[in-house]
Amino acid sequence: MSNNILFILCPPVWSMLPHLGLSLIIQYLKQKNINSYFFDLNLLFYKNLPKSYRKDWTINKNYINLEFFDYITKNYFYLIEEVIEKIKKNNISLVGFSVYKTNRIFCENLSIILKNKFENLKIIYGGPEVFSFFIENKLENWNFVDKFVVGEGEIPIVNIITNTNDKNLYLFDELNDINFYPDYKWLDLSNYYKKNSIPIIFSRGCYNKCGFCSEKFLFKKFRVRDPYNVIEEINYQFKYNNINQFIFYDSNLNLDLKKLNLLLDLIIKNNLKITWEAQISIKKDIDFEILTKMKKSGCVNLFIGFESGSDRILKLMNKNFNTNDAIVFFENLKKVGLNFEISIIVNYPNENEEDFLETLKFLSENKNLIPKVAQISRFRLYPGTNIKLPENYEENIAS
Ligand code: SF4
């Protein structure tokens, strides 16, 4: 039997850019001389469904249920048939899904359809939702899945394809060397909606300990790419894929300031005509010079997890800054002309009305300093975060 693998990205997930995690796995396999296939079913559905679905593609709860799956498979089964054809044509024996909260129902039901159709097909699940199911001891709910990958996919997928062992569960088998990048030779980038633009990664993992965050658990080790390798990628993507806009997918771009400083120096020195955006955290030790270099190297937007205008809540969240530090940080960003936006979390456990009013006061007093509040989310208890909810905690208070 062949060991040909097909990766399927099911809807609905964000569809503006190619999927970085799967692209890195495909590239890693390529380096090991293992051919693989990719099917962006998410993009296909996004393009084929009526445009009215697009507005809230990943946030409308009505698209994350069985009725929606039934509706689209009934009306658009010809799109599923394209997947079936691809499996037949390429003699696929392994199918890997990247499972998110939003596309879980789709992944589950498509897996069952494929299992019924192809008797010997093996199904592999990876992605953030597999981590959640693992933490909640729910993996056995997926009894139609043959292999689970919790954490990074590169090493486990190679092991599965080469039959290195017969484990069912791969837990945090992480790379030491992350100095590689997708060449996208297998993908038509022009199909994606954000043009001349791709995701890029500088570091994997985060060593901060924000109480509400489950993202930090997705990686065990914190690793940073060699800045020279990132420059090589930027040059490659510019030359061969016509890319000049880079979206850093790091949890936090400014964790290793020494390497970041070198990366910025190299972008400036090589006169690379790019723009970039990233998520960063408020840090007391980030100096004015680095911020100036960020601007000079093409940064057009920064997303900052500020979360609360109450020092008491920032402390409860384990944030490494207080509101005064935040103001100094924002002022410095403004001085160098860096655009940024912030996020807020409300209804954090033990947050009271006074804390909430402090946040409102902070935002109002600093409205000329903060260009945009991009996201206000109600606190959600994510698996693995170990936060104890107070007895009288009302989850819906802020919804
Ligand atoms: S800085 Fe971001 S990724 Fe890191 S722990 Fe905090 S919220 Fe999570």
Side-chain angles (χ1 to χ4, degrees), residues 166-190:
D166 59 359
K167 286 198 288 189
N168 290 338
L169 175 61
Y170 291 79
L171 277 178
F172 300 107
D173 283 337
E174 296 185 330
L175 293 167
N176 290 321
D177 182 359
I178 58 166
N179 288 304
F180 63 101
Y181 52 88
D183 59 21
Y184 294 113
K185 284 187 178 156
W186 64 86
L187 199 63
D188 184 355
L189 290 174
S190 67

PDB file of all heavy atoms in Angstrom, residues 166-190:
ATOM      1  N   ASP A 166       4.485   2.697  15.754  1.00  0.00           N
ATOM      2  CA  ASP A 166       3.042   2.551  15.539  1.00  0.00           C
ATOM      3  C   ASP A 166       2.227   3.248  16.637  1.00  0.00           C
ATOM      4  O   ASP A 166       1.158   2.806  17.021  1.00  0.00           O
ATOM      5  CB  ASP A 166       2.655   1.071  15.401  1.00  0.00           C
ATOM      6  CG  ASP A 166       3.032   0.289  16.641  1.00  0.00           C
ATOM      7  OD1 ASP A 166       3.604   0.906  17.569  1.00  0.00           O
ATOM      8  OD2 ASP A 166       2.753  -0.921  16.682  1.00  0.00           O
ATOM      9  N   LYS A 167       2.783   4.352  17.137  1.00  0.00           N
ATOM     10  CA  LYS A 167       2.037   5.124  18.147  1.00  0.00           C
ATOM     11  C   LYS A 167       0.752   5.688  17.541  1.00  0.00           C
ATOM     12  O   LYS A 167       0.707   5.995  16.353  1.00  0.00           O
ATOM     13  CB  LYS A 167       2.877   6.331  18.593  1.00  0.00           C
ATOM     14  CG  LYS A 167       4.032   6.013  19.492  1.00  0.00           C
ATOM     15  CD  LYS A 167       4.521   7.268  20.211  1.00  0.00           C
ATOM     16  CE  LYS A 167       5.242   8.241  19.308  1.00  0.00           C
ATOM     17  NZ  LYS A 167       5.901   9.352  20.005  1.00  0.00           N
ATOM     18  N   ASN A 168      -0.251   5.885  18.379  1.00  0.00           N
ATOM     19  CA  ASN A 168      -1.458   6.573  17.911  1.00  0.00           C
ATOM     20  C   ASN A 168      -1.447   8.039  18.292  1.00  0.00           C
ATOM     21  O   ASN A 168      -2.132   8.855  17.696  1.00  0.00           O
ATOM     22  CB  ASN A 168      -2.710   5.949  18.529  1.00  0.00           C
ATOM     23  CG  ASN A 168      -2.952   4.592  17.972  1.00  0.00           C
ATOM     24  OD1 ASN A 168      -2.474   4.297  16.882  1.00  0.00           O
ATOM     25  ND2 ASN A 168      -3.658   3.760  18.703  1.00  0.00           N
ATOM     26  N   LEU A 169      -0.673   8.336  19.337  1.00  0.00           N
ATOM     27  CA  LEU A 169      -0.682   9.702  19.857  1.00  0.00           C
ATOM     28  C   LEU A 169       0.739  10.257  19.876  1.00  0.00           C
ATOM     29  O   LEU A 169       1.631   9.683  20.513  1.00  0.00           O
ATOM     30  CB  LEU A 169      -1.260   9.676  21.284  1.00  0.00           C
ATOM     31  CG  LEU A 169      -1.251  10.982  22.060  1.00  0.00           C
ATOM     32  CD1 LEU A 169      -2.069  12.050  21.354  1.00  0.00           C
ATOM     33  CD2 LEU A 169      -1.797  10.758  23.475  1.00  0.00           C
ATOM     34  N   TYR A 170       0.935  11.350  19.161  1.00  0.00           N
ATOM     35  CA  TYR A 170       2.250  12.010  19.111  1.00  0.00           C
ATOM     36  C   TYR A 170       2.155  13.289  19.926  1.00  0.00           C
ATOM     37  O   TYR A 170       1.352  14.165  19.624  1.00  0.00           O
ATOM     38  CB  TYR A 170       2.631  12.332  17.664  1.00  0.00           C
ATOM     39  CG  TYR A 170       2.919  11.086  16.867  1.00  0.00           C
ATOM     40  CD1 TYR A 170       1.878  10.313  16.363  1.00  0.00           C
ATOM     41  CD2 TYR A 170       4.224  10.665  16.651  1.00  0.00           C
ATOM     42  CE1 TYR A 170       2.132   9.152  15.655  1.00  0.00           C
ATOM     43  CE2 TYR A 170       4.491   9.506  15.942  1.00  0.00           C
ATOM     44  CZ  TYR A 170       3.440   8.754  15.451  1.00  0.00           C
ATOM     45  OH  TYR A 170       3.694   7.605  14.750  1.00  0.00           O
ATOM     46  N   LEU A 171       2.975  13.368  20.971  1.00  0.00           N
ATOM     47  CA  LEU A 171       2.869  14.493  21.909  1.00  0.00           C
ATOM     48  C   LEU A 171       4.102  15.377  21.838  1.00  0.00           C
ATOM     49  O   LEU A 171       5.191  14.959  22.221  1.00  0.00           O
ATOM     50  CB  LEU A 171       2.768  13.961  23.337  1.00  0.00           C
ATOM     51  CG  LEU A 171       1.409  13.523  23.855  1.00  0.00           C
ATOM     52  CD1 LEU A 171       1.545  12.998  25.269  1.00  0.00           C
ATOM     53  CD2 LEU A 171       0.425  14.674  23.826  1.00  0.00           C
ATOM     54  N   PHE A 172       3.927  16.560  21.356  1.00  0.00           N
ATOM     55  CA  PHE A 172       4.978  17.578  21.374  1.00  0.00           C
ATOM     56  C   PHE A 172       6.335  17.065  20.888  1.00  0.00           C
ATOM     57  O   PHE A 172       7.344  17.219  21.563  1.00  0.00           O
ATOM     58  CB  PHE A 172       5.109  18.187  22.778  1.00  0.00           C
ATOM     59  CG  PHE A 172       3.842  18.830  23.245  1.00  0.00           C
ATOM     60  CD1 PHE A 172       3.066  18.242  24.229  1.00  0.00           C
ATOM     61  CD2 PHE A 172       3.407  20.009  22.669  1.00  0.00           C
ATOM     62  CE1 PHE A 172       1.880  18.825  24.637  1.00  0.00           C
ATOM     63  CE2 PHE A 172       2.223  20.605  23.076  1.00  0.00           C
ATOM     64  CZ  PHE A 172       1.463  20.008  24.065  1.00  0.00           C
ATOM     65  N   ASP A 173       6.330  16.405  19.724  1.00  0.00           N
ATOM     66  CA  ASP A 173       7.610  16.047  19.095  1.00  0.00           C
ATOM     67  C   ASP A 173       8.064  17.276  18.320  1.00  0.00           C
ATOM     68  O   ASP A 173       7.662  17.483  17.179  1.00  0.00           O
ATOM     69  CB  ASP A 173       7.416  14.870  18.124  1.00  0.00           C
ATOM     70  CG  ASP A 173       7.292  13.566  18.875  1.00  0.00           C
ATOM     71  OD1 ASP A 173       7.770  13.512  20.016  1.00  0.00           O
ATOM     72  OD2 ASP A 173       6.723  12.618  18.320  1.00  0.00           O
ATOM     73  N   GLU A 174       8.889  18.088  18.952  1.00  0.00           N
ATOM     74  CA  GLU A 174       9.182  19.402  18.364  1.00  0.00           C
ATOM     75  C   GLU A 174      10.546  19.455  17.683  1.00  0.00           C
ATOM     76  O   GLU A 174      11.504  18.818  18.128  1.00  0.00           O
ATOM     77  CB  GLU A 174       9.123  20.474  19.462  1.00  0.00           C
ATOM     78  CG  GLU A 174       7.732  20.609  20.051  1.00  0.00           C
ATOM     79  CD  GLU A 174       7.626  21.748  21.047  1.00  0.00           C
ATOM     80  OE1 GLU A 174       8.625  22.064  21.705  1.00  0.00           O
ATOM     81  OE2 GLU A 174       6.528  22.316  21.142  1.00  0.00           O
ATOM     82  N   LEU A 175      10.606  20.250  16.638  1.00  0.00           N
ATOM     83  CA  LEU A 175      11.863  20.460  15.918  1.00  0.00           C
ATOM     84  C   LEU A 175      12.808  21.302  16.765  1.00  0.00           C
ATOM     85  O   LEU A 175      12.363  22.176  17.507  1.00  0.00           O
ATOM     86  CB  LEU A 175      11.587  21.236  14.624  1.00  0.00           C
ATOM     87  CG  LEU A 175      10.785  20.541  13.530  1.00  0.00           C
ATOM     88  CD1 LEU A 175      10.355  21.568  12.494  1.00  0.00           C
ATOM     89  CD2 LEU A 175      11.622  19.448  12.882  1.00  0.00           C
ATOM     90  N   ASN A 176      14.111  21.043  16.616  1.00  0.00           N
ATOM     91  CA  ASN A 176      15.083  21.968  17.204  1.00  0.00           C
ATOM     92  C   ASN A 176      15.411  23.068  16.205  1.00  0.00           C
ATOM     93  O   ASN A 176      15.554  24.221  16.567  1.00  0.00           O
ATOM     94  CB  ASN A 176      16.369  21.227  17.589  1.00  0.00           C
ATOM     95  CG  ASN A 176      16.113  20.317  18.772  1.00  0.00           C
ATOM     96  OD1 ASN A 176      15.369  20.692  19.688  1.00  0.00           O
ATOM     97  ND2 ASN A 176      16.685  19.130  18.761  1.00  0.00           N
ATOM     98  N   ASP A 177      15.511  22.658  14.941  1.00  0.00           N
ATOM     99  CA  ASP A 177      15.908  23.612  13.906  1.00  0.00           C
ATOM    100  C   ASP A 177      14.670  24.036  13.106  1.00  0.00           C
ATOM    101  O   ASP A 177      14.068  23.220  12.403  1.00  0.00           O
ATOM    102  CB  ASP A 177      16.935  22.931  12.993  1.00  0.00           C
ATOM    103  CG  ASP A 177      17.431  23.871  11.911  1.00  0.00           C
ATOM    104  OD1 ASP A 177      16.965  25.033  11.867  1.00  0.00           O
ATOM    105  OD2 ASP A 177      18.273  23.443  11.107  1.00  0.00           O
ATOM    106  N   ILE A 178      14.290  25.284  13.225  1.00  0.00           N
ATOM    107  CA  ILE A 178      13.098  25.748  12.485  1.00  0.00           C
ATOM    108  C   ILE A 178      13.496  26.682  11.333  1.00  0.00           C
ATOM    109  O   ILE A 178      12.701  27.483  10.862  1.00  0.00           O
ATOM    110  CB  ILE A 178      12.072  26.426  13.430  1.00  0.00           C
ATOM    111  CG1 ILE A 178      12.687  27.620  14.168  1.00  0.00           C
ATOM    112  CG2 ILE A 178      11.517  25.425  14.435  1.00  0.00           C
ATOM    113  CD1 ILE A 178      11.645  28.516  14.840  1.00  0.00           C
ATOM    114  N   ASN A 179      14.746  26.530  10.893  1.00  0.00           N
ATOM    115  CA  ASN A 179      15.236  27.409   9.822  1.00  0.00           C
ATOM    116  C   ASN A 179      14.898  26.880   8.435  1.00  0.00           C
ATOM    117  O   ASN A 179      15.770  26.399   7.705  1.00  0.00           O
ATOM    118  CB  ASN A 179      16.745  27.605   9.973  1.00  0.00           C
ATOM    119  CG  ASN A 179      17.045  28.476  11.161  1.00  0.00           C
ATOM    120  OD1 ASN A 179      16.548  29.601  11.253  1.00  0.00           O
ATOM    121  ND2 ASN A 179      17.805  27.952  12.098  1.00  0.00           N
ATOM    122  N   PHE A 180      13.643  26.923   8.099  1.00  0.00           N
ATOM    123  CA  PHE A 180      13.211  26.575   6.747  1.00  0.00           C
ATOM    124  C   PHE A 180      11.905  27.303   6.477  1.00  0.00           C
ATOM    125  O   PHE A 180      11.293  27.856   7.399  1.00  0.00           O
ATOM    126  CB  PHE A 180      13.062  25.055   6.573  1.00  0.00           C
ATOM    127  CG  PHE A 180      12.005  24.436   7.443  1.00  0.00           C
ATOM    128  CD1 PHE A 180      10.749  24.120   6.925  1.00  0.00           C
ATOM    129  CD2 PHE A 180      12.242  24.176   8.785  1.00  0.00           C
ATOM    130  CE1 PHE A 180       9.759  23.551   7.721  1.00  0.00           C
ATOM    131  CE2 PHE A 180      11.262  23.611   9.595  1.00  0.00           C
ATOM    132  CZ  PHE A 180      10.027  23.303   9.063  1.00  0.00           C
ATOM    133  N   TYR A 181      11.489  27.296   5.221  1.00  0.00           N
ATOM    134  CA  TYR A 181      10.283  28.055   4.861  1.00  0.00           C
ATOM    135  C   TYR A 181       9.638  27.431   3.630  1.00  0.00           C
ATOM    136  O   TYR A 181      10.313  26.781   2.819  1.00  0.00           O
ATOM    137  CB  TYR A 181      10.633  29.532   4.605  1.00  0.00           C
ATOM    138  CG  TYR A 181      11.763  29.735   3.628  1.00  0.00           C
ATOM    139  CD1 TYR A 181      11.516  29.826   2.260  1.00  0.00           C
ATOM    140  CD2 TYR A 181      13.085  29.810   4.072  1.00  0.00           C
ATOM    141  CE1 TYR A 181      12.561  29.998   1.368  1.00  0.00           C
ATOM    142  CE2 TYR A 181      14.130  29.979   3.180  1.00  0.00           C
ATOM    143  CZ  TYR A 181      13.865  30.073   1.833  1.00  0.00           C
ATOM    144  OH  TYR A 181      14.890  30.230   0.941  1.00  0.00           O
ATOM    145  N   PRO A 182       8.326  27.636   3.485  1.00  0.00           N
ATOM    146  CA  PRO A 182       7.635  27.034   2.332  1.00  0.00           C
ATOM    147  C   PRO A 182       8.024  27.735   1.033  1.00  0.00           C
ATOM    148  O   PRO A 182       8.072  28.964   1.001  1.00  0.00           O
ATOM    149  CB  PRO A 182       6.146  27.287   2.630  1.00  0.00           C
ATOM    150  CG  PRO A 182       6.074  27.877   3.990  1.00  0.00           C
ATOM    151  CD  PRO A 182       7.420  28.397   4.350  1.00  0.00           C
ATOM    152  N   ASP A 183       8.285  26.951  -0.016  1.00  0.00           N
ATOM    153  CA  ASP A 183       8.546  27.613  -1.306  1.00  0.00           C
ATOM    154  C   ASP A 183       7.249  27.804  -2.105  1.00  0.00           C
ATOM    155  O   ASP A 183       7.235  28.469  -3.116  1.00  0.00           O
ATOM    156  CB  ASP A 183       9.600  26.848  -2.124  1.00  0.00           C
ATOM    157  CG  ASP A 183       9.178  25.418  -2.425  1.00  0.00           C
ATOM    158  OD1 ASP A 183       7.972  25.113  -2.376  1.00  0.00           O
ATOM    159  OD2 ASP A 183      10.069  24.589  -2.709  1.00  0.00           O
ATOM    160  N   TYR A 184       6.159  27.204  -1.631  1.00  0.00           N
ATOM    161  CA  TYR A 184       4.817  27.331  -2.229  1.00  0.00           C
ATOM    162  C   TYR A 184       4.763  26.888  -3.684  1.00  0.00           C
ATOM    163  O   TYR A 184       3.901  27.333  -4.436  1.00  0.00           O
ATOM    164  CB  TYR A 184       4.279  28.769  -2.099  1.00  0.00           C
ATOM    165  CG  TYR A 184       4.014  29.161  -0.667  1.00  0.00           C
ATOM    166  CD1 TYR A 184       4.768  30.148  -0.039  1.00  0.00           C
ATOM    167  CD2 TYR A 184       3.019  28.533   0.073  1.00  0.00           C
ATOM    168  CE1 TYR A 184       4.538  30.492   1.286  1.00  0.00           C
ATOM    169  CE2 TYR A 184       2.786  28.871   1.400  1.00  0.00           C
ATOM    170  CZ  TYR A 184       3.547  29.851   1.994  1.00  0.00           C
ATOM    171  OH  TYR A 184       3.323  30.188   3.295  1.00  0.00           O
ATOM    172  N   LYS A 185       5.678  25.971  -4.059  1.00  0.00           N
ATOM    173  CA  LYS A 185       5.629  25.502  -5.454  1.00  0.00           C
ATOM    174  C   LYS A 185       4.398  24.643  -5.705  1.00  0.00           C
ATOM    175  O   LYS A 185       4.038  24.391  -6.841  1.00  0.00           O
ATOM    176  CB  LYS A 185       6.905  24.729  -5.776  1.00  0.00           C
ATOM    177  CG  LYS A 185       8.081  25.667  -5.984  1.00  0.00           C
ATOM    178  CD  LYS A 185       9.313  24.954  -6.465  1.00  0.00           C
ATOM    179  CE  LYS A 185      10.420  25.976  -6.695  1.00  0.00           C
ATOM    180  NZ  LYS A 185      11.736  25.403  -6.623  1.00  0.00           N
ATOM    181  N   TRP A 186       3.774  24.145  -4.646  1.00  0.00           N
ATOM    182  CA  TRP A 186       2.606  23.277  -4.787  1.00  0.00           C
ATOM    183  C   TRP A 186       1.292  24.059  -4.737  1.00  0.00           C
ATOM    184  O   TRP A 186       0.216  23.480  -4.811  1.00  0.00           O
ATOM    185  CB  TRP A 186       2.589  22.229  -3.664  1.00  0.00           C
ATOM    186  CG  TRP A 186       2.441  22.859  -2.306  1.00  0.00           C
ATOM    187  CD1 TRP A 186       1.283  23.193  -1.677  1.00  0.00           C
ATOM    188  CD2 TRP A 186       3.486  23.280  -1.443  1.00  0.00           C
ATOM    189  NE1 TRP A 186       1.549  23.785  -0.470  1.00  0.00           N
ATOM    190  CE2 TRP A 186       2.902  23.850  -0.300  1.00  0.00           C
ATOM    191  CE3 TRP A 186       4.878  23.226  -1.515  1.00  0.00           C
ATOM    192  CZ2 TRP A 186       3.644  24.358   0.750  1.00  0.00           C
ATOM    193  CZ3 TRP A 186       5.612  23.731  -0.464  1.00  0.00           C
ATOM    194  CH2 TRP A 186       5.004  24.289   0.648  1.00  0.00           C
ATOM    195  N   LEU A 187       1.379  25.372  -4.590  1.00  0.00           N
ATOM    196  CA  LEU A 187       0.173  26.144  -4.314  1.00  0.00           C
ATOM    197  C   LEU A 187       0.084  27.350  -5.242  1.00  0.00           C
ATOM    198  O   LEU A 187       1.091  28.012  -5.487  1.00  0.00           O
ATOM    199  CB  LEU A 187       0.256  26.641  -2.858  1.00  0.00           C
ATOM    200  CG  LEU A 187      -1.029  27.072  -2.180  1.00  0.00           C
ATOM    201  CD1 LEU A 187      -1.996  25.905  -2.054  1.00  0.00           C
ATOM    202  CD2 LEU A 187      -0.722  27.616  -0.780  1.00  0.00           C
ATOM    203  N   ASP A 188      -1.120  27.614  -5.736  1.00  0.00           N
ATOM    204  CA  ASP A 188      -1.312  28.817  -6.543  1.00  0.00           C
ATOM    205  C   ASP A 188      -1.680  29.964  -5.600  1.00  0.00           C
ATOM    206  O   ASP A 188      -2.833  30.107  -5.185  1.00  0.00           O
ATOM    207  CB  ASP A 188      -2.421  28.570  -7.570  1.00  0.00           C
ATOM    208  CG  ASP A 188      -2.590  29.766  -8.495  1.00  0.00           C
ATOM    209  OD1 ASP A 188      -1.915  30.792  -8.253  1.00  0.00           O
ATOM    210  OD2 ASP A 188      -3.389  29.674  -9.439  1.00  0.00           O
ATOM    211  N   LEU A 189      -0.687  30.769  -5.257  1.00  0.00           N
ATOM    212  CA  LEU A 189      -0.915  31.830  -4.262  1.00  0.00           C
ATOM    213  C   LEU A 189      -1.903  32.883  -4.757  1.00  0.00           C
ATOM    214  O   LEU A 189      -2.505  33.598  -3.960  1.00  0.00           O
ATOM    215  CB  LEU A 189       0.419  32.497  -3.891  1.00  0.00           C
ATOM    216  CG  LEU A 189       1.393  31.633  -3.075  1.00  0.00           C
ATOM    217  CD1 LEU A 189       2.729  32.348  -2.907  1.00  0.00           C
ATOM    218  CD2 LEU A 189       0.821  31.280  -1.715  1.00  0.00           C
ATOM    219  N   SER A 190      -2.074  32.959  -6.081  1.00  0.00           N
ATOM    220  CA  SER A 190      -2.987  33.992  -6.602  1.00  0.00           C
ATOM    221  C   SER A 190      -4.448  33.685  -6.252  1.00  0.00           C
ATOM    222  O   SER A 190      -5.322  34.529  -6.388  1.00  0.00           O
ATOM    223  CB  SER A 190      -2.825  34.143  -8.114  1.00  0.00           C
ATOM    224  OG  SER A 190      -3.279  32.975  -8.747  1.00  0.00           O
TER     225      SER A 190
END
